[in-house]
Amino acid sequence: MRKLLNTLYITTPKSYLSLDGENVIVRLDDEDKFRLPFINVESIICFGYMGVSPALMGKCVDNNISLCFLNPDNGKFLARVTGKTKGNVFLRKQQYLLSDNEEFCLDFAKEIVAAKIYNSRFLLERTIRDNREKIDTAKLVRTSEILKDSINYCYEFQSKDKLRGYEGVQAKQYFKVFDDMILHQKEDFYFNERSKRPPLDNINCMLSYLYTILSFDIVAALETVGLDPYVGFYHELRSGRASLAVDLIEELRSYMVDRFVISLINLKKINHADFFEKEGGAILMSSEGRKKILTAWQERKKEIITHPYLKEKIEVGLIPYAQAQLLARFIRGDNDEYPPFLCK
């Protein structure tokens, strides 16, 4: 299994990155503020516009270190620099052939959607089990039963369009009770509905932000095993969209992001001062808020779990790599099925 290294998050917009020997240097106001041995870096994500020296960029390319640039205000993707394409050309050729196979794509989509609903329900069941006296138990139980019944129904659809519509209906059921899982700081962290562009409350801001961060991890994982992250099987191909990464994020959303966001709020590791509202109603994170979330996210990625299919102990941050490996084996024909990540 791959070793989990560090993702270097640069949250100060005016920072400039350079290379000094085998060290990454972060410069601010013409001073060296931080240095990290290059050998310990897995990827670099910059929230800013100042940029990166050509030497460091070349080093990242040569060592296949992902270098991403995001808008410092809203976390929107700006650009990404990667090295040479890895992997067996025959694996990608098979991936492209299967992407045109409607039956294969529909069967894969059914597994992904079923896994997403299963993991969403798992989060509800966990809340019911751990906080029965603090929540409207009957309400969450009803929703959990609806999601349970809907899992098998996923396999009845004969088109991806209808399956996507059904997935949206079940997501609404899940998000209807999302607010009930927030046990503390209710005045500042409330959830009415999912809002994306722009996020209209603190929780939606956190969800969108972390879904973006997770998507970069999945893209890197797919490229590591030799798959093309832009050619998916469930979500439609679109210029600039990593469709296969969007496919895989569905099964991981509730376990890796939703559960994490709820814990941050309930454990009071984040508060209202970490967000601000722009003209027009969009909610953004403060620089301090980003730092808190990314620090906690790095710690979360280091936690050890037993992978439900591989039965191996791995770090949470390696789940995308484990799933990418399993998908590559399936596409090559080494495995008879792709096992989505299912919470245990």
Side-chain angles (χ1 to χ4, degrees):
M1 178 61 68
R2 176 190 174 98
K3 181 181 179 181
L4 182 65
L5 299 177
N6 295 303
T7 297
L8 178 59
Y9 297 99
I10 307 301
T11 59
T12 305
K14 294 184 179 180
S15 296
Y16 181 79
L17 277 69
S18 61
L19 186 68
D20 180 15
E22 293 298 316
N23 294 297
V24 179
I25 307 296
V26 180
R27 294 182 60 81
L28 182 64
D29 298 329
D30 295 324
E31 293 184 19
D32 293 352
K33 295 293 186 179
F34 179 79
R35 66 172 52 219
L36 180 70
F38 192 84
I39 194 173
N40 293 331
V41 177
E42 180 174 69
S43 61
I44 301 173
I45 298 179
C46 300
F47 294 85
Y49 302 107
M50 292 298 290
V52 175
S53 73
L56 178 56
M57 191 175 295
K59 184 82 168 177
C60 289
V61 168
D62 290 342
N63 290 272
N64 205 44
I65 301 299
S66 174
L67 178 59
C68 297
F69 296 89
L70 306 183
N71 184 299
D73 293 327
N74 55 27
K76 185 178 179 181
F77 175 78
L78 296 174
R80 187 167 183 268
V81 178
T82 57
K84 296 178 181 179
T85 299
K86 281 189 171 185
N88 190 323
V89 65
F90 296 107
L91 173 61
R92 291 203 175 201
K93 182 178 180 180
Q94 183 65 11
Q95 177 188 358
Y96 300 146
L97 289 172
L98 289 174
S99 70
D100 290 328
N101 184 321
E102 293 185 7
E103 181 179 358
F104 175 89
C105 290
L106 180 58
D107 289 342
F108 178 82
K110 290 175 182 178
E111 294 293 341
I112 291 296
V113 174
K116 176 182 180 178
I117 297 173
Y118 176 93
N119 290 334
S120 297
R121 178 175 182 263
F122 183 89
L123 184 55
L124 298 186
E125 287 292 312
R126 182 174 178 270
T127 301
I128 294 168
R129 183 195 68 210
D130 295 344
N131 301 286
R132 184 173 293 274
E133 296 179 357
K134 302 176 183 177
I135 60 173
D136 185 343
T137 304
K139 182 180 178 181
L140 265 67
V141 167
R142 283 195 301 272
T143 302
S144 178
E145 289 301 311
I146 291 172
L147 295 181
K148 178 182 178 181
D149 293 340
S150 70
I151 294 173
N152 288 333
Y153 194 66
C154 292
Y155 297 96
E156 302 298 322
F157 289 95
Q158 299 303 311
S159 78
K160 288 193 293 182
D161 284 341
K162 291 184 178 179
L163 181 62
R164 276 191 285 267
Y166 186 71
E167 176 198 355
V169 170
Q170 301 313 311
K172 286 183 179 179
Q173 291 286 350
Y174 166 68
F175 280 122
K176 278 182 181 178
V177 296
F178 199 89
D179 188 69
D180 293 83
M181 292 186 279
I182 306 301
L183 306 178
H184 300 285
Q185 306 188 86
K186 297 285 286 186
E187 200 171 299
D188 300 309
F189 293 92
Y190 51 85
F191 188 92
N192 295 321
E193 62 180 356
R194 184 78 177 101
S195 58
K196 304 175 185 178
R197 301 179 185 88
L200 299 177
D201 57 58
N202 296 342
I203 294 179
N204 272 295
C205 179
M206 295 169 72
L207 291 176
S208 293
Y209 181 76
L210 287 164
Y211 289 154
T212 299
I213 297 297
L214 177 58
S215 72
F216 292 142
D217 288 346
I218 297 174
V219 167
L222 291 168
E223 290 179 336
T224 297
V225 302
L227 290 170
D228 186 338
Y230 291 88
V231 179
F233 304 122
Y234 176 37
H235 293 87
E236 296 298 324
L237 302 185
R238 183 187 301 167
S239 179
R241 180 168 76 173
S243 294
L244 188 57
V246 178
D247 288 352
L248 291 193
I249 199 174
E250 299 296 357
E251 65 191 80
L252 301 179
R253 286 180 191 273
S254 61
Y255 179 74
M256 294 194 70
V257 173
D258 299 1
R259 178 177 172 180
F260 174 72
V261 166
I262 291 169
S263 294
L264 281 182
I265 298 168
N266 286 340
L267 295 175
K268 300 181 181 180
K269 293 184 177 181
I270 196 93
N271 59 62
H272 70 94
D274 297 313
F275 302 85
F276 63 94
E277 183 176 350
K278 285 191 70 177
E279 186 177 348
I283 302 298
L284 303 179
M285 284 180 204
S286 67
S287 176
E288 185 61 30
R290 280 197 298 270
K291 290 178 183 178
K292 286 182 182 180
I293 289 173
L294 292 174
T295 298
W297 178 252
Q298 285 291 82
E299 290 303 313
R300 167 64 173 151
K301 287 171 67 174
K302 294 175 184 177
E303 294 179 11
I304 303 296
I305 66 163
T306 299
H307 190 280
Y309 179 82
L310 297 172
K311 308 302 180 185
E312 296 178 13
K313 290 188 180 299
I314 66 170
E315 291 164 299
V316 167
L318 289 179
I319 293 175
Y321 293 93
Q323 295 309 119
Q325 286 179 338
L326 291 169
L327 180 57
R329 292 177 191 172
F330 175 49
I331 290 173
R332 280 196 301 264
D334 298 338
N335 289 358
D336 293 332
E337 61 179 4
Y338 168 70
F341 182 86
L342 300 176
C343 301
K344 297 292 185 182

